[in-house]
Amino acid sequence: MKSRIGTLLANIAKRFSGLYSDSSSGKRALVHEILSIQVFSATLVGFLAIASLYWGGQWILQDNYSRWALQWTDQLNELGSPLYLAEDQEIRISLDNFVSRYPEIDQVVYYANDGSVLHAVDTEDDPDPVKVLSEDQLRDAIAVVGANEPYLMTGGFLDPRQFNILAPVWVESIPDDGLFGFDPINTEIETKTELLGFVNMKLDFVMFHDRLLSNIRTAVFILLGLLLLFAIYGRYALRKALASFADLQLPIQELAKGNLDVKFEPSQHREISDIVEALETTATALSERDAQLRELANHDSLTGLYNRRRFVEVLRSEVLEVMCKNRSSALFFIDLDQFKYINDACGHAAGDRLIRKVADELQRSIGRDDVIARFGGDEFAVLVRSVDVAGARAAAETILKNMRRMAHIEEEQLFHVHCSIGITMLSGTNLHHDELINQADIACREAKSAGRNRLSIFRLKKDGSKSATSDVSWMNCLRDALDNDKFEIRFQPINEIDSGETTHHELLIRIMGEDGKLISPDAFLPSAVRFGLMTEIDFWMIRHAAVAYAKYSTPENRLQFSINLSANAFENDDLTGYVQDTFEQHGVVASDIVFEITESLAVRRPLQVDRQIATLRDLGCKFALDDFGTGYSSFSYLQKLQFDYIKIDGTFVQDLPNNPVDQKMIRLIAEVGREAGMRTIAEYVRNVETLELLTELGVDMVQGFFVGRPTKVPKTKATPISLTARRQRLSRK
Ligand code: C2E
Ligand code: CA
Ligand code: CA
């Protein structure tokens, strides 16, 4: 039994403590806190209510007791008065009846006016001893005769439920003034008082009081029951009201974990609604900031494309895909050709504009699943998904074609910027992302070396070495070529369109590679510039051009050679002297030599360059403005420069039949050239359509694989193809 009570108590205690604390965290629960405040205040109010009920009840009862007592005193006074006149059994009976009617009356005693007991009525079950009135009681009772409150109330101090009332019994008589003299209107008639005795009444209201207490007890129980109900309902109502708060708990925890997509349930309560709104605003602000940070971390700020970091992530996951699904994808490394021109000539803002345009063009050129990124500067990377080598090649060719078509106008000048693309395949065991990027980069450099504006596919050499050659090894190679005469010259014919005759040859430098293949100047000239070997190379070419001239040019069949000169050659004050000496030595007629200088050099030519050009012109040499259109293509500027030939850059020519913009451009160059007294030469003529178009556009001379590839020995006869073109042209006329 004892143990059952023990567990019960323990349970109650647990429940009770559970009301105030969340056992798991040791923190108080809000519901319980509010509830405890409510229960406490309700208990206090209940206690006060019960107390006031008790005291109020007591007070009302007390008041009632005394009123009843006085009433009964009056009645006893009246009833008992005849006792003093005569001994009457009937009076006694009626007195007994009266007392028995009121159980609260314990005892009634009538005293004679000397204080002796005249008659006593007592309750039978609890008889009280009848006491004679004391002197003091007599005196006090006599004193109240005729007073407004003619009685003495004693006792009830220790127990308010039991007290005594002692009242004098007297009669009043009107003095005889003759019956007829009585005036009923005059109430102020003097009366005569005769004291008969006293009546003492002992009262006991214990029963009443007990009834009151039992009523209050019932009220307390009802109140306690109500309080319990109130607590239970309060807990339920509070829990319901605070449920929305509890509902917030989970989303807030999610929010704290960094999940910004959490959904907050709307609440019907204003306060919670406000909190929800504030939390939602916070979550939105956080996710916006997150997006900004992600954007910054993953994107290139200039173009909005992915940056290298993000691209590498994509590449890594593609590597996994390729591995799992056993397919292949391609990685392109793209580098812009001649981007530096625009940056140098028109400033960085112009360069930025161009990069953005190129980014857009590249984006348009790739497939929807493919991913493009800018690696910085003028370098881009593209991941072409799910392609084989042929597919990759086709994708790269699309990019090249679109880039060739792209024309960029800056400060009223037209720029063509092409690109070189290095490709490597993600397949088989070739799957390390760093290695892949490296391979594509190497392939891109190969594409540049092979003449730019083209693609190159990375292949591991048989011995496993990489195909790219570093700057340092180029330097050794160039040094060796200069010291041991390992350069070679190729002669590329330049034909007059009208006559179809080869009037000139451009002399192009090559190095014979170890494998017996010729290496293009695009592969080694950038290194030569970096290592300051350009002047030596140009001097080598001047010397060997003179030798070749002496060898192949005859008075009957005089050859004219075009020699490329770099900016570095002009920086050397010995240039003119060297040219003069060499030409004299080999019997070169200076007027058979054309020096090609690039547009960028011509535009920013310093005084020293101007002086050298003037001297060489004095010698009889001619000058051609090379690669016209790629750099600072200003027509107004063109007229100021004194050139004999303008060489329209190959980028305008190679896709001429498909590009109306290029056609317009070439027509314009030809016109301006004619007016300025310069002859125009178009490079990169690769088919008959181009040749025909150039003829129509008014170009004077052509160079290109269609006219003739660079050869070991200069040609002296007109090419049959140009004759065909001429025939077609004549037939059209
Ligand atoms: P460039 O002065 O614009 O020379 C023309 C380039 O276009 C040559 O490339 C030539 O082979 C190529 N080419 C001409 N027609 C066609 C065609 O129809 N199709 C294709 N695919 N290519 C064609 P190359 O020989 O590789 O020379 C590249 C550049 O190297 C030259 O561009 C020139 O700037 C420079 N270079 C070549 N030789 C010398 C040299 O002796 N001294 C200097 N300073 N630079 C040289
Ligand atoms: Ca040239
Ligand atoms: Ca050129």
Side-chain angles (χ1 to χ4, degrees):
M1 181 71 182
K2 203 178 164 192
S3 72
R4 261 172 70 190
I5 293 172
T7 23
L8 190 75
L9 281 177
N11 275 342
I12 292 169
K14 214 163 113 192
R15 287 233 161 179
F16 191 71
S17 72
L19 272 177
Y20 292 92
S21 68
D22 173 356
S23 52
S24 60
S25 65
K27 286 185 185 152
R28 286 183 313 207
L30 193 59
V31 172
H32 299 155
E33 187 134 316
I34 296 174
L35 200 65
S36 63
I37 293 170
Q38 282 190 342
V39 168
F40 175 75
S41 35
T43 312
L44 194 72
V45 169
F47 176 77
L48 286 175
I50 290 164
S52 49
L53 201 70
Y54 177 78
W55 292 119
Q58 187 106 320
W59 182 79
I60 290 167
L61 277 184
Q62 215 98 62
D63 192 50
N64 278 351
Y65 298 161
S66 32
R67 269 194 289 120
W68 292 337
L70 291 179
Q71 214 177 318
W72 295 334
T73 310
D74 276 354
Q75 286 173 353
L76 284 173
N77 219 327
E78 231 170 84
L79 273 177
S81 310
L83 274 181
Y84 294 92
L85 303 175
E87 189 71 8
D88 188 340
Q89 193 59 32
E90 258 181 58
I91 296 167
R92 286 167 189 259
I93 292 167
S94 67
L95 277 174
D96 283 349
N97 285 344
F98 181 82
V99 171
S100 63
R101 266 215 314 274
Y102 301 104
E104 296 83 7
I105 302 174
D106 244 8
Q107 186 187 52
V108 173
V109 183
Y110 284 90
Y111 293 96
N113 55 9
D114 61 352
S116 57
V117 175
L118 194 67
H119 175 70
V121 184
D122 214 334
T123 45
E124 278 163 18
D125 43 343
D126 183 22
D128 287 317
V130 179
K131 278 186 215 155
V132 179
L133 286 179
S134 69
E135 295 262 313
D136 287 348
Q137 282 177 308
L138 264 176
R139 198 183 48 244
D140 290 346
I142 291 166
V144 298
V145 173
N148 271 346
E149 289 176 352
Y151 51 85
L152 290 172
M153 210 179 268
T154 54
F157 179 71
L158 286 177
D159 185 352
R161 299 167 301 179
Q162 287 175 330
F163 54 94
N164 259 315
I165 284 188
L166 179 63
V169 183
W170 76 89
V171 287
E172 278 178 353
S173 56
I174 304 161
D176 188 13
D177 58 345
L179 195 63
F180 302 106
F182 179 72
D183 179 5
I185 297 161
N186 183 8
T187 52
E188 286 175 18
I189 298 167
E190 236 183 76
T191 52
K192 195 173 160 228
T193 309
E194 188 192 342
L195 178 71
L196 299 177
F198 307 95
V199 58
N200 186 58
M201 184 166 53
K202 248 179 150 183
L203 292 165
D204 187 346
F205 287 101
V206 171
M207 212 172 63
F208 261 96
H209 218 84
D210 288 350
R211 212 179 296 156
L212 170 77
L213 280 184
S214 99
N215 283 349
I216 287 175
R217 248 197 312 277
T218 316
V220 167
F221 279 122
I222 291 172
L223 219 72
L224 277 178
L226 283 176
L227 202 68
L228 191 69
L229 277 178
F230 166 77
I232 293 168
Y233 175 74
R235 188 186 148 97
Y236 162 78
L238 263 176
R239 269 194 186 281
K240 202 174 150 207
L242 296 180
S244 330
F245 260 128
D247 290 349
L248 286 183
Q249 209 169 327
L250 211 71
I252 291 176
Q253 276 169 356
E254 282 299 302
L255 196 66
K257 275 190 224 151
N259 176 9
L260 299 178
D261 296 327
V262 284
K263 284 276 162 290
F264 290 94
E265 289 301 321
S267 167
Q268 291 162 340
H269 300 101
R270 187 163 24 96
E271 297 85 349
I272 298 171
S273 258
D274 288 351
I275 294 174
V276 164
E277 208 170 292
L279 285 170
E280 275 173 348
T281 313
T282 310
T284 315
L286 282 174
S287 62
E288 271 169 16
R289 204 196 54 186
D290 240 33
Q292 272 170 4
L293 287 176
R294 257 203 308 277
E295 175 79 19
L296 278 179
N298 292 332
H299 292 82
D300 165 50
S301 55
L302 180 62
T303 57
L305 298 178
Y306 278 168
N307 56 18
R308 188 184 187 117
R309 201 195 68 79
R310 178 75 187 116
F311 185 81
V312 169
E313 280 177 8
V314 175
L315 183 62
R316 275 176 155 172
S317 59
E318 181 65 14
V319 161
L320 288 177
E321 286 266 303
V322 164
M323 237 165 14
C324 298
K325 298 190 177 154
N326 201 20
R327 57 173 166 82
S328 66
S329 291
L331 170 66
F332 292 1
F333 194 95
I334 302 177
D335 193 294
L336 301 188
D337 300 334
Q338 289 139 336
F339 166 69
K340 236 174 88 56
Y341 262 125
I342 295 187
N343 234 7
D344 291 350
C346 305
H348 287 296
D352 285 355
R353 275 192 290 278
L354 178 77
I355 288 287
R356 272 199 290 267
K357 194 163 175 177
V358 168
D360 289 347
E361 187 61 58
L362 289 175
Q363 186 92 65
R364 271 196 296 275
S365 306
I366 62 170
R368 222 176 333 133
D369 286 347
D370 303 342
V371 181
I372 180 166
R374 178 173 173 235
F375 272 20
D378 58 351
E379 292 172 352
F380 295 86
V382 179
L383 175 67
V384 185
R385 289 194 162 116
S386 308
V387 283
D388 54 8
V389 179
R393 186 185 284 277
E397 263 155 13
T398 306
I399 293 176
L400 287 172
K401 195 176 86 202
N402 292 349
M403 286 291 289
R404 276 180 209 126
R405 281 196 185 142
M406 198 187 86
H408 182 66
I409 294 169
E410 197 64 62
E411 294 172 15
E412 294 179 358
Q413 300 152 46
L414 189 75
F415 292 95
H416 279 266
V417 172
H418 298 155
C419 63
S420 303
I421 305 180
I423 304 172
T424 190
M425 299 302 297
L426 285 72
S427 61
T429 53
N430 193 28
L431 289 169
H432 190 273
H433 58 272
D434 277 342
E435 187 58 20
L436 287 164
I437 293 174
N438 207 17
Q439 292 170 359
D441 186 10
I442 289 168
C444 181
R445 274 189 272 156
E446 278 175 356
K448 278 196 179 299
S449 305
R452 299 166 189 274
N453 189 15
R454 66 193 65 204
L455 63 88
S456 168
I457 298 177
F458 177 83
R459 279 187 190 91
L460 274 179
K461 292 228 169 126
K462 283 206 183 84
D463 61 0
S465 69
K466 310 277 160 48
S467 52
T469 318
S470 70
D471 256 0
V472 179
S473 50
W474 270 127
M475 196 186 77
N476 295 333
C477 174
L478 290 169
R479 193 67 268 158
D480 179 49
L482 280 168
D483 294 345
N484 305 305
D485 247 356
K486 286 188 177 167
F487 287 114
E488 293 206 9
I489 301 178
R490 289 294 175 268
F491 301 86
Q492 188 174 25
I494 301 173
N495 286 9
E496 282 280 353
I497 287 190
D498 276 346
S499 65
E501 276 172 24
T502 300
T503 54
H504 291 70
H505 285 87
E506 181 172 3
L507 274 58
L508 299 163
I509 199 162
R510 305 277 183 267
I511 294 179
M512 183 58 76
E514 279 167 18
D515 53 359
K517 278 192 188 156
L518 285 179
I519 301 170
S520 135
D522 274 326
F524 56 83
L525 289 188
S527 303
V529 173
R530 274 197 285 279
F531 289 104
L533 297 174
M534 252 348 267
T535 315
E536 275 187 76
I537 290 175
D538 284 341
F539 280 32
W540 183 96
M541 182 52 100
I542 291 167
R543 197 164 64 245
H544 287 81
V547 172
Y549 183 89
K551 191 172 172 187
Y552 299 115
S553 184
T554 56
E556 305 80 50
N557 191 11
R558 266 173 64 186
L559 294 179
Q560 299 188 66
F561 285 170
S562 250
I563 300 170
N564 292 288
L565 284 185
S566 67
N568 304 72
F570 283 93
E571 280 159 17
N572 192 319
D573 284 335
D574 296 339
L575 177 68
T576 43
Y578 188 78
V579 169
Q580 205 169 354
D581 292 350
T582 315
F583 286 2
E584 268 175 23
Q585 195 185 337
H586 296 280
V588 178
V589 180
S591 60
D592 285 343
I593 303 298
V594 180
F595 287 117
E596 296 188 4
I597 63 170
T598 57
E599 215 184 340
S600 54
L601 172 65
V603 169
R604 57 177 174 83
R605 65 180 173 188
L607 223 65
Q608 180 195 16
V609 177
D610 247 359
R611 242 191 352 255
Q612 304 230 49
I613 291 177
T615 317
L616 290 171
R617 287 184 78 88
D618 287 346
L619 275 180
C621 299
K622 299 199 175 94
F623 277 85
L625 183 58
D626 203 359
D627 301 342
F628 184 78
T630 54
Y632 204 86
S633 326
S634 164
F635 289 107
S636 58
Y637 187 81
L638 190 63
Q639 281 160 328
K640 280 183 232 149
L641 297 170
Q642 293 196 328
F643 283 99
D644 305 278
Y645 303 93
I646 303 168
K647 294 192 79 173
I648 303 165
D649 193 71
T651 52
F652 293 98
V653 185
Q654 58 195 356
D655 199 29
L656 193 63
N658 304 318
N659 194 327
V661 178
D662 285 347
Q663 292 171 16
K664 282 206 179 105
M665 182 76 181
I666 290 181
R667 189 190 294 282
L668 205 65
I669 298 172
E671 268 172 28
V672 174
R674 215 175 6 260
E675 271 174 32
M678 299 180 221
R679 311 211 70 207
T680 41
I681 306 171
E683 305 176 312
Y684 274 69
V685 180
R686 297 193 290 192
N687 46 48
V688 70
E689 293 84 25
T690 308
L691 182 61
E692 278 181 55
L693 262 170
L694 289 167
T695 312
E696 273 174 37
L697 295 172
V699 173
D700 301 306
M701 301 165 90
V702 281
Q703 175 185 359
F705 289 1
F706 184 70
V707 177
R709 284 182 178 258
T711 50
K712 218 170 171 177
V713 176
K715 281 185 182 172
T716 47
K717 283 183 191 149
T719 59
I721 300 145
S722 62
L723 284 176
T724 317
R726 198 147 53 102
R727 237 188 343 267
Q728 283 173 342
R729 192 174 156 204
L730 288 172
S731 67
R732 262 206 310 278
K733 278 180 187 168

